[in-house]
Amino acid sequence: MEILRGFKDILPDNIDKWQFLETTARNTIESFGFREIRTPILEKTQLFKRSVGETTDIVEKEMYTFLDKNNESITMRPEGTAGVVRAYIDNHLELSSFKKYYYIGPMFRYERPQKGRLRQFHQIGIEVFGIDEPAIDAEVVYINKALLNNLGINNVRIEINNIGCDMCRPNYMDALKSYFEEYRSQLCEDCQKRLYRNPLRILDCKNEHCRLIAKGAPKITSFACETCRSHYDVVKEKLTDFGVDFIENPMLVRGLDYYTKFVFEIITDKLGAQGTVSAGGRYDNLVEQLGGKSTSGVGFAAGEERLIELIEDYPKNRIDFYIANLDVDEYAVQIANKLRGIGKKVYVEYERRSLKSMMKRANRMNAEFAVIIGENEKNNRKVMVKNLFESKQSEYSLEAFLDEVK
Ligand code: ATP
Ligand code: MG
């Protein structure tokens, strides 16, 4: 039986890296006062249509959508923000004093699988509600940068843009439409559709030729309203205050419709075409759009698979003690539990093997010590301890051994 295309097992060989990534993410994000939220993988399809947007690639062609046994259309979440916003509204979290949330978990998109692009992938994301000050946008970027630093990932660039709001974006879209209409026949098939449905999406097209044409397109800068412009300007000031370097990219749009005012991406040159490791921005209309009270929002989502590719140094988990148990199960378990009681990782061998093959196995597990016990050790309450890193061996009484370990 084969695994589904675009899906991946994460095996113990690779798990140290994943655990390092997620522990570092929790520690970093919680150090800014955020708390974890866990929302379901399945949501009503309507949730994503109304938030991510009907004309986005995600909703148009990438969602895992199906009817449940009650004929209700449900979708496996393609991203995390919509579910968190739904939970915020459903649970009246506007009444709680917590405004800052984070999540870690799997997302699902029916995309063409390639390096750095899977159908089940994982994201680490944060969301902040009800804070309008541009300083929080800058803090969100700063947290993202801090996360990368703590993972030892340094060679990235941060691109930012002003994406406008309901007031000013329509004018910009009109200007884009007029511009791209001139090149209509040269655009890819998708972009020809985008031209009338959502010309902003053309700026995000991955097609080489569309990108070339997009280079000459009008920039949002000259269309942004005063509110968006001044918000964006203060975000830039605050980023500078926080010591975050950034590049302005007037072509940066994002593949989701809910963003307003400020968007950003963190990009590396090390991953080829799939170079965006993290992305986010402000979404001031989303809570209201989904039925809540008008509440602003800002956040980011980072792709774990792409971060994993960039992590070089991470702590390797290993076993402290391998108990070479020569047919004395009860004594072995007793010793193991005492060691575990003082915080050690202990593997007890239950398979009846030769001492030689046990030592081989202990070495392969990268255990630091082997504790060899047989009838003789058991009867005299002793242990034979072998330091596998230094190949030294000595005998202890059980009490002396435990004291020594402590
Ligand atoms: P891209 O332009 O690469 O398709 P996106 O605009 O769809 O990205 P978002 O929806 O904002 O990206 O997701 C944020 C991050 O999640 C991305 O920057 C990336 O690191 C990761 N990501 C998104 N889709 C996938 C995928 N199919 N496989 C692996 N990681 C993904
Ligand atoms: Mg995408």
Side-chain angles (χ1 to χ4, degrees):
M1 197 71 92
E2 279 169 27
I3 193 167
L4 289 169
R5 206 162 109 78
F7 287 65
K8 260 203 176 131
D9 298 311
I10 301 169
L11 301 174
D13 262 358
N14 213 4
I15 209 70
D16 288 347
K17 232 180 187 181
W18 279 85
Q19 291 182 342
F20 169 64
L21 167 58
E22 293 183 354
T23 306
T24 306
R26 286 176 195 287
N27 291 341
T28 306
I29 295 167
E30 287 181 9
S31 79
F32 287 83
F34 283 66
R35 305 199 73 183
E36 186 176 2
I37 183 165
R38 300 189 188 189
T39 66
I41 299 217
L42 296 181
E43 297 273 5
K44 293 183 180 173
T45 302
Q46 210 47 32
L47 173 66
F48 303 109
K49 289 196 174 170
R50 279 169 55 188
S51 54
V52 174
E54 300 263 11
T55 60
T56 58
D57 282 0
I58 295 179
V59 170
E60 275 190 340
K61 47 190 185 193
E62 296 174 357
M63 294 205 301
Y64 280 90
T65 296
F66 49 91
L67 295 178
D68 70 7
K69 292 190 194 301
N70 198 26
N71 270 330
E72 177 158 29
S73 179
I74 56 181
T75 293
M76 296 175 77
R77 63 182 188 193
E79 58 97 57
T81 303
V84 176
V85 171
R86 197 235 355 102
Y88 182 85
I89 300 168
D90 261 8
N91 297 287
H92 294 288
L93 295 181
E94 74 277 4
L95 303 176
S96 130
S97 45
F98 290 107
K99 294 179 182 303
K100 302 185 177 185
Y101 303 88
Y102 78 93
Y103 59 83
I104 299 179
M107 306 295 161
F108 303 83
R109 295 184 195 174
Y110 197 80
E111 299 200 67
R112 193 168 66 78
Q114 49 196 294
K115 194 168 183 289
R117 201 174 284 291
L118 292 152
R119 290 181 173 171
Q120 175 178 338
F121 60 101
H122 299 77
Q123 286 184 335
I124 296 165
I126 73 173
E127 317 289 354
V128 178
F129 293 104
I131 302 179
D132 300 335
E133 281 71 17
I136 195 70
D137 306 45
E139 186 180 76
V140 164
V141 181
Y142 182 78
I143 294 170
N144 203 335
K145 183 82 194 309
L147 170 59
L148 296 178
N149 286 345
N150 293 342
L151 294 169
I153 301 171
N154 297 308
N155 285 318
V156 294
R157 66 175 188 279
I158 300 176
E159 295 190 357
I160 67 169
N161 194 21
N162 178 357
I163 195 140
C165 65
D166 285 351
M167 298 290 291
C168 53
R169 205 183 302 145
N171 297 332
Y172 179 51
M173 303 255 268
D174 284 344
L176 285 177
K177 207 178 283 172
S178 319
Y179 171 81
F180 283 117
E181 257 168 355
E182 307 261 324
Y183 298 91
R184 187 171 185 280
S185 59
Q186 296 177 46
L187 295 170
C188 76
E189 218 175 286
D190 279 343
C191 281
Q192 298 202 6
K193 282 188 220 140
R194 288 170 181 143
L195 181 54
Y196 298 105
R197 300 192 63 188
N198 189 346
L200 208 62
R201 292 272 87 81
I202 302 176
L203 300 181
D204 200 29
C205 184
K206 310 275 192 287
N207 178 296
E208 200 74 32
H209 197 65
C210 295
R211 291 181 92 121
L212 214 65
I213 298 171
K215 277 205 170 123
K219 314 282 184 273
I220 187 135
T221 333
S222 37
F223 293 85
C225 63
E226 189 43 41
T227 317
C228 290
R229 198 189 305 255
S230 70
H231 182 91
Y232 181 68
D233 285 344
V234 183
V235 175
K236 285 194 287 182
E237 272 169 36
K238 297 291 172 184
L239 282 171
T240 306
D241 290 350
F242 290 0
V244 177
D245 293 331
F246 58 85
I247 301 163
E248 288 187 77
N249 174 2
M251 290 298 163
L252 180 65
V253 285
R254 311 291 311 105
L256 305 92
D257 277 350
Y258 51 63
Y259 289 111
T260 52
K261 292 180 180 161
F262 172 72
V263 290
F264 75 99
E265 286 194 2
I266 303 191
I267 303 161
T268 170
D269 289 327
K270 286 193 183 161
L271 298 179
Q274 269 60 254
T276 302
V277 293
S278 186
R282 178 166 279 276
Y283 48 88
D284 283 350
N285 306 323
L286 187 54
V287 178
E288 191 172 12
Q289 217 168 295
L290 291 176
K293 279 196 218 106
S294 170
T295 308
S296 60
V298 49
F300 73 72
E304 292 194 66
E305 279 75 6
R306 295 185 195 178
L307 294 174
I308 288 284
E309 292 280 320
L310 298 172
I311 294 173
E312 283 169 5
D313 283 328
Y314 55 95
K316 317 267 184 310
N317 205 342
R318 57 170 178 73
I319 285 163
D320 298 311
F321 292 95
Y322 173 94
I323 311 255
N325 165 20
L326 296 162
D327 219 357
V328 287
D329 294 347
E330 188 213 330
Y331 187 49
V333 168
Q334 197 188 1
I335 295 173
N337 282 340
K338 288 208 158 110
L339 289 168
R340 291 182 189 123
I342 43 184
K344 298 296 175 190
K345 289 182 187 146
V346 188
Y347 183 98
V348 177
E349 185 60 78
Y350 291 105
E351 287 176 61
R352 305 304 175 209
R353 299 168 152 251
S354 69
L355 185 58
K356 196 173 152 203
S357 97
M358 285 196 213
M359 287 306 112
K360 247 196 204 154
R361 183 177 257 194
N363 273 313
R364 267 207 309 269
M365 281 182 185
N366 206 15
E368 188 170 2
F369 296 98
V371 180
I372 302 159
I373 49 172
E375 281 302 323
N376 186 30
E377 282 78 14
K378 179 184 168 185
N379 294 336
N380 301 306
R381 290 195 67 78
K382 288 191 164 171
V383 290
M384 181 66 83
V385 182
K386 187 167 180 186
N387 183 327
L388 295 167
F389 293 173
E390 294 168 13
S391 297
K392 277 193 297 205
Q393 186 167 315
S394 23
E395 195 182 53
Y396 294 88
S397 76
L398 181 54
E399 283 63 37
F401 167 60
L402 291 173
D403 280 346
E404 180 91 10
V405 174
K406 271 184 211 156

mmCIF file of all heavy atoms in Angstrom, residues 62 109 111 117, ligand 2:
data_model
loop_
_atom_site.group_PDB
_atom_site.id
_atom_site.type_symbol
_atom_site.label_atom_id
_atom_site.label_comp_id
_atom_site.label_asym_id
_atom_site.label_seq_id
_atom_site.Cartn_x
_atom_site.Cartn_y
_atom_site.Cartn_z
ATOM 1 N N GLU A 62 -7.491 24.263 -5.104
ATOM 2 C CA GLU A 62 -6.583 23.514 -4.239
ATOM 3 C C GLU A 62 -7.227 22.873 -3.013
ATOM 4 O O GLU A 62 -6.561 22.194 -2.249
ATOM 5 C CB GLU A 62 -5.421 24.424 -3.792
ATOM 6 C CG GLU A 62 -4.545 24.883 -4.953
ATOM 7 C CD GLU A 62 -3.484 25.895 -4.551
ATOM 8 O OE1 GLU A 62 -3.450 26.298 -3.371
ATOM 9 O OE2 GLU A 62 -2.693 26.293 -5.420
ATOM 10 N N ARG A 109 -3.582 21.185 0.796
ATOM 11 C CA ARG A 109 -3.902 21.849 -0.470
ATOM 12 C C ARG A 109 -3.589 20.896 -1.611
ATOM 13 O O ARG A 109 -2.512 20.305 -1.642
ATOM 14 C CB ARG A 109 -3.058 23.129 -0.660
ATOM 15 C CG ARG A 109 -3.359 24.201 0.352
ATOM 16 C CD ARG A 109 -2.578 25.472 0.072
ATOM 17 N NE ARG A 109 -2.612 26.339 1.240
ATOM 18 C CZ ARG A 109 -1.924 27.477 1.357
ATOM 19 N NH1 ARG A 109 -1.150 27.880 0.362
ATOM 20 N NH2 ARG A 109 -2.014 28.193 2.453
ATOM 21 N N GLU A 111 -2.182 20.631 -4.527
ATOM 22 C CA GLU A 111 -1.269 21.323 -5.437
ATOM 23 C C GLU A 111 -0.445 20.294 -6.187
ATOM 24 O O GLU A 111 -0.438 19.116 -5.845
ATOM 25 C CB GLU A 111 -0.304 22.208 -4.635
ATOM 26 C CG GLU A 111 -0.992 23.274 -3.826
ATOM 27 C CD GLU A 111 -0.041 24.396 -3.459
ATOM 28 O OE1 GLU A 111 0.387 25.109 -4.383
ATOM 29 O OE2 GLU A 111 0.261 24.553 -2.264
ATOM 30 N N ARG A 117 6.767 21.766 -1.816
ATOM 31 C CA ARG A 117 5.334 21.927 -2.058
ATOM 32 C C ARG A 117 4.641 20.580 -1.922
ATOM 33 O O ARG A 117 4.812 19.702 -2.749
ATOM 34 C CB ARG A 117 5.118 22.518 -3.463
ATOM 35 C CG ARG A 117 3.768 23.176 -3.644
ATOM 36 C CD ARG A 117 3.640 23.871 -4.986
ATOM 37 N NE ARG A 117 4.348 25.144 -5.077
ATOM 38 C CZ ARG A 117 3.999 26.243 -4.410
ATOM 39 N NH1 ARG A 117 2.973 26.221 -3.590
ATOM 40 N NH2 ARG A 117 4.679 27.352 -4.552
HETATM 41 MG MG MG B 2 0.311 28.639 -2.887
#
